[in-house]
Amino acid sequence: MADKPTVGFIGLGIMGKPMALNVLKAGFPLVVHNRSRGPVEELVAAGAEDGSSPKGVAQRAEIILMCLPNSPDVQLVVEGPDGVFEGISPGKVIVDMSTISPVVARDLAAKAEKLGADMLDAPVSGGDIGARQGTLSIMVGGKREVFEQVLPVFQAMGKNIVYIGEAGAGQVTKACNQIVVALTIEAISEALVLAAKAGVDPAKVREALLGGFAQSRILDVHGQRLLDRNFQPGFKTRLHYKDLKIALETGRTYGVPLPVTGLVHEFYGALMATDKAELDHSALATLIEQMAGTEVRRAT
Amino acid sequence: MADKPTVGFIGLGIMGKPMALNVLKAGFPLVVHNRSRGPVEELVAAGAEDGSSPKGVAQRAEIILMCLPNSPDVQLVVEGPDGVFEGISPGKVIVDMSTISPVVARDLAAKAEKLGADMLDAPVSGGDIGARQGTLSIMVGGKREVFEQVLPVFQAMGKNIVYIGEAGAGQVTKACNQIVVALTIEAISEALVLAAKAGVDPAKVREALLGGFAQSRILDVHGQRLLDRNFQPGFKTRLHYKDLKIALETGRTYGVPLPVTGLVHEFYGALMATDKAELDHSALATLIEQMAGTEVRRAT
Protein backbone atom coordinates (compact mmCIF):
# COMPACT_ATOMS: atom_id res chain seq x y z
CA MET A 1 0.00 0.00 0.00
CA ALA A 2 1.31 3.42 -0.98
CA ASP A 3 2.03 5.93 1.77
CA LYS A 4 -0.68 8.50 2.24
CA PRO A 5 0.13 11.91 0.75
CA THR A 6 0.61 14.86 3.09
CA VAL A 7 -2.49 17.04 3.09
CA GLY A 8 -2.61 20.76 3.81
CA PHE A 9 -5.62 22.59 5.23
CA ILE A 10 -6.03 26.38 5.21
CA GLY A 11 -9.03 27.97 6.95
CA LEU A 12 -10.02 26.24 10.19
CA GLY A 13 -13.41 27.85 10.75
CA ILE A 14 -16.76 26.33 11.70
CA MET A 15 -16.58 24.15 8.57
CA GLY A 16 -12.83 23.82 8.03
CA LYS A 17 -11.80 22.71 11.52
CA PRO A 18 -13.97 19.57 11.70
CA MET A 19 -13.15 18.78 8.05
CA ALA A 20 -9.41 18.98 8.82
CA LEU A 21 -9.89 16.80 11.91
CA ASN A 22 -11.60 14.15 9.77
CA VAL A 23 -8.70 14.18 7.30
CA LEU A 24 -6.31 13.69 10.22
CA LYS A 25 -8.44 10.86 11.68
CA ALA A 26 -8.38 9.10 8.29
CA GLY A 27 -4.60 8.84 8.71
CA PHE A 28 -3.31 11.56 6.37
CA PRO A 29 -0.27 13.53 7.57
CA LEU A 30 -1.71 17.05 7.97
CA VAL A 31 -0.22 20.54 7.91
CA VAL A 32 -2.52 23.46 8.70
CA HIS A 33 -2.82 27.23 8.67
CA ASN A 34 -5.42 29.65 10.00
CA ARG A 35 -5.41 33.43 10.50
CA SER A 36 -6.23 33.14 14.21
CA ARG A 37 -4.06 30.85 16.35
CA GLY A 38 -6.68 29.00 18.45
CA PRO A 39 -7.78 26.39 15.90
CA VAL A 40 -4.17 25.85 14.75
CA GLU A 41 -3.17 24.93 18.31
CA GLU A 42 -6.15 22.56 18.57
CA LEU A 43 -5.14 20.81 15.36
CA VAL A 44 -1.49 20.65 16.39
CA ALA A 45 -2.55 19.08 19.70
CA ALA A 46 -4.46 16.50 17.66
CA GLY A 47 -1.34 15.62 15.65
CA ALA A 48 -1.14 18.15 12.79
CA GLU A 49 1.84 20.35 11.89
CA ASP A 50 1.68 24.15 11.88
CA GLY A 51 2.38 25.37 8.34
CA SER A 52 2.64 28.99 9.60
CA SER A 53 1.41 30.51 6.28
CA PRO A 54 -0.42 29.46 3.09
CA LYS A 55 3.01 29.39 1.42
CA GLY A 56 4.36 27.16 4.20
CA VAL A 57 1.43 24.76 3.85
CA ALA A 58 1.88 24.61 0.05
CA GLN A 59 5.60 23.84 0.46
CA ARG A 60 5.04 20.90 2.81
CA ALA A 61 1.79 19.34 1.51
CA GLU A 62 1.05 17.52 -1.77
CA ILE A 63 -2.70 18.20 -1.67
CA ILE A 64 -3.63 21.66 -0.34
CA LEU A 65 -7.24 22.03 0.81
CA MET A 66 -8.83 25.30 1.81
CA CYS A 67 -12.21 26.31 3.21
CA LEU A 68 -12.66 30.08 3.39
CA PRO A 69 -15.56 32.55 3.61
CA ASN A 70 -15.64 34.08 0.12
CA SER A 71 -13.91 34.80 -3.21
CA PRO A 72 -11.60 37.61 -1.99
CA ASP A 73 -10.36 35.43 0.90
CA VAL A 74 -9.53 32.62 -1.53
CA GLN A 75 -7.81 35.04 -3.93
CA LEU A 76 -5.71 36.49 -1.10
CA VAL A 77 -4.72 33.07 0.29
CA VAL A 78 -3.86 31.67 -3.14
CA GLU A 79 -2.38 34.67 -5.02
CA GLY A 80 -1.46 37.06 -2.19
CA PRO A 81 1.89 37.53 -0.44
CA ASP A 82 3.05 34.36 1.32
CA GLY A 83 0.21 32.68 -0.59
CA VAL A 84 -0.22 29.15 -1.90
CA PHE A 85 1.15 30.03 -5.35
CA GLU A 86 4.48 31.08 -3.76
CA GLY A 87 4.89 27.66 -2.16
CA ILE A 88 3.46 25.47 -4.89
CA SER A 89 5.49 23.26 -7.22
CA PRO A 90 4.57 21.15 -10.29
CA GLY A 91 2.43 18.07 -9.55
CA LYS A 92 0.79 19.47 -6.45
CA VAL A 93 -2.98 19.88 -6.21
CA ILE A 94 -4.91 22.82 -4.74
CA VAL A 95 -8.49 22.02 -3.69
CA ASP A 96 -10.77 24.94 -2.88
CA MET A 97 -13.72 23.74 -0.80
CA SER A 98 -15.08 27.25 -0.15
CA THR A 99 -18.25 28.47 -1.86
CA ILE A 100 -17.01 31.20 -4.19
CA SER A 101 -17.61 32.67 -7.63
CA PRO A 102 -17.26 30.11 -10.46
CA VAL A 103 -15.56 32.88 -12.47
CA VAL A 104 -12.87 33.28 -9.81
CA ALA A 105 -12.56 29.48 -9.52
CA ARG A 106 -11.91 29.20 -13.27
CA ASP A 107 -9.42 32.05 -13.20
CA LEU A 108 -7.40 30.52 -10.33
CA ALA A 109 -7.46 27.04 -11.92
CA ALA A 110 -5.99 28.51 -15.14
CA LYS A 111 -3.27 30.31 -13.16
CA ALA A 112 -2.44 27.13 -11.19
CA GLU A 113 -2.07 25.23 -14.45
CA LYS A 114 0.50 27.76 -15.68
CA LEU A 115 2.51 26.98 -12.52
CA GLY A 116 2.36 23.25 -13.37
CA ALA A 117 -0.07 22.57 -10.52
CA ASP A 118 -3.69 21.42 -10.61
CA MET A 119 -6.68 22.99 -8.95
CA LEU A 120 -10.09 21.55 -8.12
CA ASP A 121 -13.15 23.52 -7.00
CA ALA A 122 -15.00 21.34 -4.50
CA PRO A 123 -17.67 23.27 -2.58
CA VAL A 124 -19.66 21.34 -0.03
CA SER A 125 -23.16 21.26 1.36
CA GLY A 126 -24.37 19.72 4.58
CA GLY A 127 -23.45 22.42 7.11
CA ASP A 128 -21.29 22.15 10.21
CA ILE A 129 -23.11 18.96 11.28
CA GLY A 130 -22.13 17.31 7.98
CA ALA A 131 -18.60 18.64 8.44
CA ARG A 132 -18.31 17.10 11.91
CA GLN A 133 -19.90 13.79 10.93
CA GLY A 134 -17.96 13.47 7.68
CA THR A 135 -21.18 13.31 5.67
CA LEU A 136 -20.82 16.41 3.46
CA SER A 137 -22.00 16.49 -0.16
CA ILE A 138 -19.02 17.53 -2.31
CA MET A 139 -19.46 18.88 -5.87
CA VAL A 140 -16.21 18.79 -7.80
CA GLY A 141 -14.92 20.64 -10.86
CA GLY A 142 -11.53 20.15 -12.52
CA LYS A 143 -9.67 17.36 -14.31
CA ARG A 144 -11.18 13.94 -13.75
CA GLU A 145 -7.83 12.24 -13.09
CA VAL A 146 -7.02 14.83 -10.43
CA PHE A 147 -10.45 14.21 -8.88
CA GLU A 148 -9.64 10.47 -8.74
CA GLN A 149 -6.32 11.27 -7.09
CA VAL A 150 -7.95 13.39 -4.35
CA LEU A 151 -10.98 11.11 -3.88
CA PRO A 152 -9.62 9.28 -0.79
CA VAL A 153 -9.22 12.66 0.93
CA PHE A 154 -12.76 13.69 -0.06
CA GLN A 155 -14.02 10.38 1.34
CA ALA A 156 -12.60 11.33 4.73
CA MET A 157 -14.94 14.36 4.76
CA GLY A 158 -18.04 13.47 2.76
CA LYS A 159 -20.48 10.86 1.55
CA ASN A 160 -22.16 12.15 -1.61
CA ILE A 161 -19.10 13.05 -3.71
CA VAL A 162 -19.91 13.94 -7.32
CA TYR A 163 -17.56 14.78 -10.17
CA ILE A 164 -19.39 17.34 -12.32
CA GLY A 165 -16.97 18.52 -15.02
CA GLU A 166 -14.19 20.97 -15.89
CA ALA A 167 -12.83 23.70 -13.58
CA GLY A 168 -15.61 25.86 -12.12
CA ALA A 169 -18.27 23.15 -12.55
CA GLY A 170 -18.33 22.46 -8.81
CA GLN A 171 -18.97 26.13 -8.02
CA VAL A 172 -21.64 26.43 -10.73
CA THR A 173 -23.39 23.38 -9.26
CA LYS A 174 -23.21 24.87 -5.77
CA ALA A 175 -24.71 28.13 -7.08
CA CYS A 176 -27.54 26.11 -8.68
CA ASN A 177 -28.05 24.25 -5.42
CA GLN A 178 -28.33 27.49 -3.45
CA ILE A 179 -30.82 28.92 -5.97
CA VAL A 180 -33.05 25.86 -5.74
CA VAL A 181 -32.87 25.69 -1.95
CA ALA A 182 -33.65 29.41 -1.45
CA LEU A 183 -36.54 29.47 -3.93
CA THR A 184 -38.01 26.30 -2.48
CA ILE A 185 -37.88 27.82 1.01
CA GLU A 186 -39.77 30.83 -0.39
CA ALA A 187 -42.30 28.47 -2.02
CA ILE A 188 -43.12 26.58 1.16
CA SER A 189 -43.16 29.86 3.12
CA GLU A 190 -45.83 31.44 0.89
CA ALA A 191 -47.84 28.20 0.87
CA LEU A 192 -47.75 27.43 4.60
CA VAL A 193 -48.43 31.03 5.68
CA LEU A 194 -51.41 31.08 3.30
CA ALA A 195 -52.70 27.83 4.81
CA ALA A 196 -52.31 29.10 8.38
CA LYS A 197 -54.01 32.45 7.74
CA ALA A 198 -56.83 30.77 5.77
CA GLY A 199 -57.53 28.64 8.85
CA VAL A 200 -56.09 25.34 7.65
CA ASP A 201 -53.61 23.32 9.75
CA PRO A 202 -50.19 23.84 8.08
CA ALA A 203 -49.00 20.49 9.50
CA LYS A 204 -51.77 18.73 7.55
CA VAL A 205 -50.93 20.69 4.41
CA ARG A 206 -47.24 19.79 4.73
CA GLU A 207 -48.17 16.14 5.12
CA ALA A 208 -50.57 16.12 2.18
CA LEU A 209 -48.09 17.90 -0.10
CA LEU A 210 -45.25 15.55 0.86
CA GLY A 211 -47.34 12.71 -0.59
CA GLY A 212 -47.61 14.32 -4.03
CA PHE A 213 -45.90 16.28 -6.76
CA ALA A 214 -44.98 19.18 -4.43
CA GLN A 215 -42.70 16.89 -2.38
CA SER A 216 -39.22 18.17 -1.54
CA ARG A 217 -36.64 17.69 1.15
CA ILE A 218 -37.05 21.40 1.99
CA LEU A 219 -40.79 20.96 2.57
CA ASP A 220 -40.00 18.00 4.79
CA VAL A 221 -37.18 19.52 6.89
CA HIS A 222 -37.88 23.26 6.77
CA GLY A 223 -41.65 22.77 6.75
CA GLN A 224 -41.14 21.03 10.10
CA ARG A 225 -38.84 23.86 11.28
CA LEU A 226 -41.58 26.41 10.58
CA LEU A 227 -44.12 24.34 12.49
CA ASP A 228 -41.69 24.01 15.41
CA ARG A 229 -40.52 27.68 15.26
CA ASN A 230 -36.97 26.35 15.22
CA PHE A 231 -34.67 28.88 13.56
CA GLN A 232 -31.43 27.72 15.18
CA PRO A 233 -28.96 27.18 12.33
CA GLY A 234 -28.51 24.91 10.41
CA PHE A 235 -27.38 27.09 7.55
CA LYS A 236 -27.27 30.78 8.30
CA THR A 237 -29.29 33.46 6.51
CA ARG A 238 -26.07 35.52 6.21
CA LEU A 239 -24.37 32.76 4.25
CA HIS A 240 -27.30 32.10 1.96
CA TYR A 241 -27.46 35.83 1.22
CA LYS A 242 -23.79 35.68 0.22
CA ASP A 243 -24.32 32.54 -1.90
CA LEU A 244 -27.24 34.08 -3.81
CA LYS A 245 -25.07 37.11 -4.55
CA ILE A 246 -22.55 34.71 -6.13
CA ALA A 247 -25.34 33.07 -8.14
CA LEU A 248 -26.58 36.45 -9.41
CA GLU A 249 -23.07 37.58 -10.35
CA THR A 250 -22.56 34.29 -12.17
CA GLY A 251 -25.82 34.87 -14.02
CA ARG A 252 -24.66 38.33 -15.06
CA THR A 253 -21.26 37.02 -16.19
CA TYR A 254 -22.78 34.31 -18.37
CA GLY A 255 -25.87 36.26 -19.45
CA VAL A 256 -28.65 34.49 -17.56
CA PRO A 257 -31.35 36.65 -15.94
CA LEU A 258 -32.47 35.15 -12.62
CA PRO A 259 -35.57 37.18 -11.72
CA VAL A 260 -36.86 35.17 -8.77
CA THR A 261 -33.36 34.54 -7.39
CA GLY A 262 -32.90 38.31 -7.49
CA LEU A 263 -36.12 38.89 -5.57
CA VAL A 264 -35.36 36.25 -2.95
CA HIS A 265 -31.86 37.71 -2.58
CA GLU A 266 -33.55 41.03 -1.76
CA PHE A 267 -35.70 39.25 0.84
CA TYR A 268 -32.58 37.79 2.44
CA GLY A 269 -31.17 41.32 2.32
CA ALA A 270 -34.20 42.49 4.29
CA LEU A 271 -33.41 39.86 6.93
CA MET A 272 -29.76 40.98 6.98
CA ALA A 273 -30.92 44.42 8.08
CA THR A 274 -32.56 42.89 11.18
CA ASP A 275 -31.28 40.62 13.94
CA LYS A 276 -32.11 37.57 11.80
CA ALA A 277 -28.83 37.35 9.86
CA GLU A 278 -27.55 34.62 12.18
CA LEU A 279 -30.76 32.57 12.13
CA ASP A 280 -31.31 29.50 9.96
CA HIS A 281 -32.10 30.38 6.31
CA SER A 282 -35.63 29.04 6.82
CA ALA A 283 -36.23 32.33 8.69
CA LEU A 284 -37.03 33.64 5.20
CA ALA A 285 -40.60 32.60 6.06
CA THR A 286 -40.78 35.18 8.83
CA LEU A 287 -40.95 37.97 6.22
CA ILE A 288 -44.19 36.55 4.79
CA GLU A 289 -45.40 35.88 8.32
CA GLN A 290 -44.79 39.50 9.32
CA MET A 291 -46.57 40.87 6.25
CA ALA A 292 -49.49 38.51 6.86
CA GLY A 293 -49.51 39.16 10.61
CA THR A 294 -49.57 35.45 11.39
CA GLU A 295 -47.25 32.54 12.12
CA VAL A 296 -47.02 29.03 10.76
CA ARG A 297 -47.65 26.91 13.80
CA ARG A 298 -48.83 23.41 14.41
CA ALA A 299 -52.58 23.65 15.07
CA THR A 300 -53.25 23.32 18.80
CA MET B 1 -73.11 -6.00 2.81
CA ALA B 2 -75.01 -2.74 2.34
CA ASP B 3 -76.05 -1.80 -1.19
CA LYS B 4 -73.79 0.73 -2.80
CA PRO B 5 -75.22 4.27 -2.88
CA THR B 6 -76.13 5.80 -6.21
CA VAL B 7 -73.45 8.25 -7.29
CA GLY B 8 -73.97 11.28 -9.55
CA PHE B 9 -71.26 12.79 -11.72
CA ILE B 10 -71.49 16.23 -13.35
CA GLY B 11 -68.76 17.39 -15.73
CA LEU B 12 -67.37 14.65 -17.94
CA GLY B 13 -64.29 16.41 -19.30
CA ILE B 14 -60.71 15.23 -19.63
CA MET B 15 -60.63 14.59 -15.86
CA GLY B 16 -64.29 13.90 -15.08
CA LYS B 17 -64.97 11.24 -17.70
CA PRO B 18 -62.29 8.76 -16.62
CA MET B 19 -63.08 9.47 -12.95
CA ALA B 20 -66.76 8.70 -13.57
CA LEU B 21 -65.83 5.52 -15.45
CA ASN B 22 -63.75 4.37 -12.45
CA VAL B 23 -66.70 4.96 -10.11
CA LEU B 24 -68.87 2.86 -12.44
CA LYS B 25 -66.24 0.10 -12.64
CA ALA B 26 -66.13 -0.03 -8.83
CA GLY B 27 -69.79 -1.06 -8.93
CA PHE B 28 -71.60 2.12 -7.94
CA PRO B 29 -74.89 2.83 -9.74
CA LEU B 30 -74.07 6.04 -11.67
CA VAL B 31 -76.14 8.90 -13.04
CA VAL B 32 -74.35 11.53 -15.11
CA HIS B 33 -74.69 14.95 -16.70
CA ASN B 34 -72.51 16.96 -19.06
CA ARG B 35 -73.13 20.09 -21.11
CA SER B 36 -72.15 18.40 -24.38
CA ARG B 37 -73.83 15.08 -25.25
CA GLY B 38 -70.86 12.99 -26.44
CA PRO B 39 -69.42 11.96 -23.06
CA VAL B 40 -72.93 11.34 -21.65
CA GLU B 41 -73.62 8.83 -24.44
CA GLU B 42 -70.26 7.14 -23.77
CA LEU B 43 -71.06 6.78 -20.08
CA VAL B 44 -74.62 5.56 -20.79
CA ALA B 45 -73.18 2.95 -23.17
CA ALA B 46 -70.93 1.85 -20.28
CA GLY B 47 -73.93 1.41 -17.97
CA ALA B 48 -74.65 4.85 -16.45
CA GLU B 49 -78.00 6.67 -16.45
CA ASP B 50 -78.49 10.08 -18.08
CA GLY B 51 -79.52 12.56 -15.36
CA SER B 52 -80.35 15.18 -18.05
CA SER B 53 -79.52 18.16 -15.76
CA PRO B 54 -77.64 18.90 -12.52
CA LYS B 55 -81.04 18.97 -10.84
CA GLY B 56 -81.92 15.58 -12.32
CA VAL B 57 -78.64 14.11 -11.10
CA ALA B 58 -79.19 15.52 -7.59
CA GLN B 59 -82.69 14.02 -7.47
CA ARG B 60 -81.55 10.51 -8.37
CA ALA B 61 -78.13 10.25 -6.64
CA GLU B 62 -77.19 10.15 -2.96
CA ILE B 63 -73.62 11.35 -3.50
CA ILE B 64 -73.26 14.00 -6.22
CA LEU B 65 -69.72 14.46 -7.57
CA MET B 66 -68.67 17.21 -9.94
CA CYS B 67 -65.48 18.07 -11.77
CA LEU B 68 -65.68 21.42 -13.57
CA PRO B 69 -63.23 24.00 -14.94
CA ASN B 70 -63.52 26.87 -12.45
CA SER B 71 -65.47 28.64 -9.68
CA PRO B 72 -68.19 30.23 -11.89
CA ASP B 73 -68.94 26.84 -13.51
CA VAL B 74 -69.37 25.25 -10.09
CA GLN B 75 -71.56 28.11 -8.88
CA LEU B 76 -73.77 27.83 -11.97
CA VAL B 77 -74.13 24.05 -11.73
CA VAL B 78 -74.84 24.14 -7.99
CA GLU B 79 -76.88 27.34 -7.51
CA GLY B 80 -78.09 28.10 -11.03
CA PRO B 81 -81.42 27.20 -12.70
CA ASP B 82 -81.95 23.44 -12.89
CA GLY B 83 -78.94 23.24 -10.57
CA VAL B 84 -77.97 20.75 -7.89
CA PHE B 85 -79.58 22.77 -5.09
CA GLU B 86 -82.97 22.46 -6.83
CA GLY B 87 -82.74 18.66 -6.78
CA ILE B 88 -81.06 18.15 -3.44
CA SER B 89 -82.76 16.84 -0.29
CA PRO B 90 -81.60 16.44 3.32
CA GLY B 91 -78.94 13.75 3.90
CA LYS B 92 -77.45 13.94 0.42
CA VAL B 93 -73.79 14.83 -0.14
CA ILE B 94 -72.33 17.14 -2.79
CA VAL B 95 -68.63 16.60 -3.54
CA ASP B 96 -66.85 19.22 -5.63
CA MET B 97 -63.68 17.76 -7.11
CA SER B 98 -62.92 20.83 -9.26
CA THR B 99 -60.06 23.18 -8.36
CA ILE B 100 -61.84 26.39 -7.37
CA SER B 101 -61.62 29.29 -4.93
CA PRO B 102 -61.63 28.18 -1.26
CA VAL B 103 -63.85 31.19 -0.57
CA VAL B 104 -66.49 29.95 -3.03
CA ALA B 105 -66.11 26.41 -1.64
CA ARG B 106 -66.85 27.65 1.89
CA ASP B 107 -69.80 29.72 0.70
CA LEU B 108 -71.41 26.80 -1.16
CA ALA B 109 -70.82 24.41 1.78
CA ALA B 110 -72.61 26.84 4.12
CA LYS B 111 -75.54 27.13 1.68
CA ALA B 112 -75.75 23.33 1.29
CA GLU B 113 -75.91 22.96 5.07
CA LYS B 114 -78.92 25.30 5.18
CA LEU B 115 -80.66 22.92 2.76
CA GLY B 116 -79.88 20.00 5.11
CA ALA B 117 -77.27 18.58 2.75
CA ASP B 118 -73.51 18.21 3.16
CA MET B 119 -70.78 19.39 0.87
CA LEU B 120 -67.13 18.35 0.58
CA ASP B 121 -64.42 20.12 -1.39
CA ALA B 122 -62.14 17.45 -2.79
CA PRO B 123 -59.76 18.78 -5.45
CA VAL B 124 -57.39 16.33 -7.02
CA SER B 125 -53.88 16.24 -8.38
CA GLY B 126 -52.30 13.70 -10.68
CA GLY B 127 -53.60 14.84 -14.09
CA ASP B 128 -55.55 12.91 -16.68
CA ILE B 129 -53.20 9.94 -16.36
CA GLY B 130 -53.98 9.72 -12.63
CA ALA B 131 -57.70 10.11 -13.47
CA ARG B 132 -57.57 7.19 -15.93
CA GLN B 133 -55.47 4.95 -13.70
CA GLY B 134 -57.45 5.76 -10.56
CA THR B 135 -54.33 7.01 -8.80
CA LEU B 136 -55.27 10.64 -8.12
CA SER B 137 -54.26 12.47 -4.94
CA ILE B 138 -57.44 13.81 -3.31
CA MET B 139 -57.37 16.61 -0.68
CA VAL B 140 -60.62 16.81 1.23
CA GLY B 141 -62.33 19.53 3.26
CA GLY B 142 -65.66 19.24 5.10
CA LYS B 143 -67.06 17.22 7.99
CA ARG B 144 -64.94 14.20 8.89
CA GLU B 145 -67.94 11.84 9.17
CA VAL B 146 -69.09 12.86 5.68
CA PHE B 147 -65.55 12.23 4.41
CA GLU B 148 -65.69 8.71 5.91
CA GLN B 149 -69.04 8.13 4.21
CA VAL B 150 -67.71 9.14 0.77
CA LEU B 151 -64.30 7.43 1.20
CA PRO B 152 -65.23 4.24 -0.75
CA VAL B 153 -66.15 6.43 -3.74
CA PHE B 154 -62.86 8.38 -3.44
CA GLN B 155 -61.01 5.05 -3.34
CA ALA B 156 -62.46 4.20 -6.75
CA MET B 157 -60.68 7.28 -8.17
CA GLY B 158 -57.55 7.88 -6.11
CA LYS B 159 -54.74 6.48 -4.00
CA ASN B 160 -53.41 9.27 -1.76
CA ILE B 161 -56.65 10.45 -0.13
CA VAL B 162 -56.13 12.92 2.73
CA TYR B 163 -58.69 14.49 5.04
CA ILE B 164 -57.42 17.99 5.81
CA GLY B 165 -60.09 19.79 7.84
CA GLU B 166 -63.28 21.86 7.70
CA ALA B 167 -65.01 23.07 4.51
CA GLY B 168 -62.59 24.81 2.13
CA ALA B 169 -59.51 23.05 3.57
CA GLY B 170 -59.20 20.86 0.49
CA GLN B 171 -59.16 23.88 -1.83
CA VAL B 172 -56.69 25.77 0.39
CA THR B 173 -54.39 22.73 0.30
CA LYS B 174 -54.69 22.53 -3.48
CA ALA B 175 -53.80 26.23 -3.75
CA CYS B 176 -50.74 25.63 -1.54
CA ASN B 177 -49.80 22.66 -3.71
CA GLN B 178 -49.99 24.74 -6.89
CA ILE B 179 -47.89 27.52 -5.32
CA VAL B 180 -45.15 25.09 -4.30
CA VAL B 181 -45.16 23.28 -7.64
CA ALA B 182 -45.01 26.49 -9.72
CA LEU B 183 -42.28 28.10 -7.63
CA THR B 184 -40.21 24.93 -7.62
CA ILE B 185 -40.46 24.77 -11.42
CA GLU B 186 -39.18 28.36 -11.52
CA ALA B 187 -36.36 27.40 -9.13
CA ILE B 188 -35.11 24.50 -11.23
CA SER B 189 -35.54 26.58 -14.40
CA GLU B 190 -33.28 29.38 -13.18
CA ALA B 191 -30.75 26.86 -11.84
CA LEU B 192 -30.55 24.57 -14.87
CA VAL B 193 -30.46 27.41 -17.42
CA LEU B 194 -27.63 28.99 -15.41
CA ALA B 195 -25.75 25.68 -15.43
CA ALA B 196 -26.21 25.21 -19.18
CA LYS B 197 -25.14 28.74 -20.11
CA ALA B 198 -22.16 28.58 -17.72
CA GLY B 199 -20.98 25.51 -19.63
CA VAL B 200 -21.87 22.83 -17.08
CA ASP B 201 -23.88 19.72 -18.00
CA PRO B 202 -27.40 20.32 -16.57
CA ALA B 203 -27.93 16.54 -16.38
CA LYS B 204 -24.98 16.28 -13.99
CA VAL B 205 -26.26 19.22 -11.95
CA ARG B 206 -29.72 17.66 -11.70
CA GLU B 207 -28.17 14.41 -10.53
CA ALA B 208 -25.92 16.07 -7.94
CA LEU B 209 -28.76 18.19 -6.57
CA LEU B 210 -31.11 15.20 -6.32
CA GLY B 211 -28.62 13.68 -3.85
CA GLY B 212 -28.77 16.63 -1.47
CA PHE B 213 -30.90 19.24 0.22
CA ALA B 214 -32.22 20.65 -3.09
CA GLN B 215 -33.97 17.33 -3.85
CA SER B 216 -37.58 17.52 -5.03
CA ARG B 217 -39.95 15.51 -7.15
CA ILE B 218 -40.14 18.51 -9.52
CA LEU B 219 -36.35 18.50 -9.98
CA ASP B 220 -36.55 14.79 -10.70
CA VAL B 221 -39.50 14.76 -13.12
CA HIS B 222 -39.47 18.24 -14.64
CA GLY B 223 -35.67 18.45 -14.56
CA GLN B 224 -35.73 15.41 -16.83
CA ARG B 225 -38.44 17.01 -19.01
CA LEU B 226 -36.21 20.04 -19.58
CA LEU B 227 -33.28 17.81 -20.53
CA ASP B 228 -35.51 15.84 -22.91
CA ARG B 229 -37.27 18.97 -24.31
CA ASN B 230 -40.55 17.19 -23.57
CA PHE B 231 -43.31 19.76 -23.07
CA GLN B 232 -46.25 17.48 -23.89
CA PRO B 233 -48.72 17.80 -20.99
CA GLY B 234 -48.83 16.53 -18.25
CA PHE B 235 -50.44 19.50 -16.59
CA LYS B 236 -51.15 22.43 -18.86
CA THR B 237 -49.68 25.93 -18.46
CA ARG B 238 -53.21 27.33 -18.96
CA LEU B 239 -54.50 25.43 -15.93
CA HIS B 240 -51.60 26.32 -13.70
CA TYR B 241 -52.11 29.99 -14.65
CA LYS B 242 -55.74 29.65 -13.52
CA ASP B 243 -54.77 27.87 -10.29
CA LEU B 244 -52.22 30.54 -9.34
CA LYS B 245 -54.91 33.17 -9.88
CA ILE B 246 -57.04 31.31 -7.34
CA ALA B 247 -54.08 31.18 -4.93
CA LEU B 248 -53.49 34.94 -5.28
CA GLU B 249 -57.18 35.75 -4.77
CA THR B 250 -57.19 33.52 -1.71
CA GLY B 251 -54.14 35.39 -0.41
CA ARG B 252 -55.93 38.70 -0.91
CA THR B 253 -59.10 37.45 0.81
CA TYR B 254 -57.21 36.23 3.88
CA GLY B 255 -54.54 38.96 3.89
CA VAL B 256 -51.44 37.05 2.84
CA PRO B 257 -49.09 38.73 0.34
CA LEU B 258 -47.59 36.18 -2.05
CA PRO B 259 -44.86 38.11 -3.86
CA VAL B 260 -43.13 35.29 -5.72
CA THR B 261 -46.39 33.54 -6.54
CA GLY B 262 -47.51 36.85 -8.06
CA LEU B 263 -44.37 37.10 -10.15
CA VAL B 264 -44.55 33.49 -11.36
CA HIS B 265 -48.24 34.03 -12.19
CA GLU B 266 -47.11 36.91 -14.40
CA PHE B 267 -44.59 34.60 -16.08
CA TYR B 268 -47.35 32.07 -16.76
CA GLY B 269 -49.34 35.03 -18.11
CA ALA B 270 -46.47 35.73 -20.53
CA LEU B 271 -46.71 32.12 -21.75
CA MET B 272 -50.49 32.47 -22.13
CA ALA B 273 -49.89 35.25 -24.65
CA THR B 274 -47.89 32.85 -26.84
CA ASP B 275 -48.64 29.43 -28.31
CA LYS B 276 -47.39 27.77 -25.11
CA ALA B 277 -50.65 27.85 -23.14
CA GLU B 278 -51.37 24.21 -24.02
CA LEU B 279 -47.85 22.97 -23.20
CA ASP B 280 -46.88 21.29 -19.96
CA HIS B 281 -46.39 23.76 -17.08
CA SER B 282 -42.66 22.95 -17.09
CA ALA B 283 -42.56 25.19 -20.22
CA LEU B 284 -42.14 27.99 -17.66
CA ALA B 285 -38.41 27.30 -18.13
CA THR B 286 -38.57 28.44 -21.75
CA LEU B 287 -38.98 32.06 -20.59
CA ILE B 288 -35.61 31.97 -18.82
CA GLU B 289 -34.16 30.07 -21.76
CA GLN B 290 -35.35 32.74 -24.20
CA MET B 291 -33.95 35.56 -22.09
CA ALA B 292 -30.65 33.72 -21.74
CA GLY B 293 -30.59 32.68 -25.39
CA THR B 294 -29.87 29.07 -24.51
CA GLU B 295 -31.63 25.79 -23.83
CA VAL B 296 -31.32 23.22 -21.08
CA ARG B 297 -30.19 20.15 -22.93
CA ARG B 298 -28.41 16.99 -22.05
CA ALA B 299 -24.72 17.58 -22.90
CA THR B 300 -23.88 15.79 -26.13
Side-chain angles (χ1 to χ4, degrees), chain B residues 225 229-235 278-282:
Chain B
R225 272 182 175 275
R229 316 308 299 159
N230 171 18
F231 296 118
Q232 291 312 305
F235 186 73
E278 303 300 318
L279 296 186
D280 186 72
H281 56 162
S282 56

Side-chain angles (χ1 to χ4, degrees), chain A residues 106 160 164 176-177 183 186-187 190-191 197-198 211-218 222 254-261 291-292, chain B residues 106 160 176-177 183 187 190-191 197-198 200 211-218 222 254-261 291-292:
Chain A
R106 284 173 174 171
N160 180 32
I164 310 282
C176 292
N177 189 78
L183 272 55
E186 177 67 21
E190 296 195 6
K197 190 103 190 268
F213 206 61
Q215 176 280 335
S216 69
R217 208 166 147 202
I218 302 280
H222 285 338
Y254 293 104
V256 182
L258 302 167
V260 176
T261 304
M291 292 190 282
Chain B
R106 284 173 175 173
N160 180 33
C176 292
N177 189 78
L183 272 55
E190 296 195 6
K197 190 103 189 268
V200 177
F213 206 61
Q215 177 280 336
S216 69
R217 209 165 148 203
I218 302 279
H222 285 338
Y254 293 104
V256 181
L258 301 167
V260 176
T261 304
M291 290 190 284

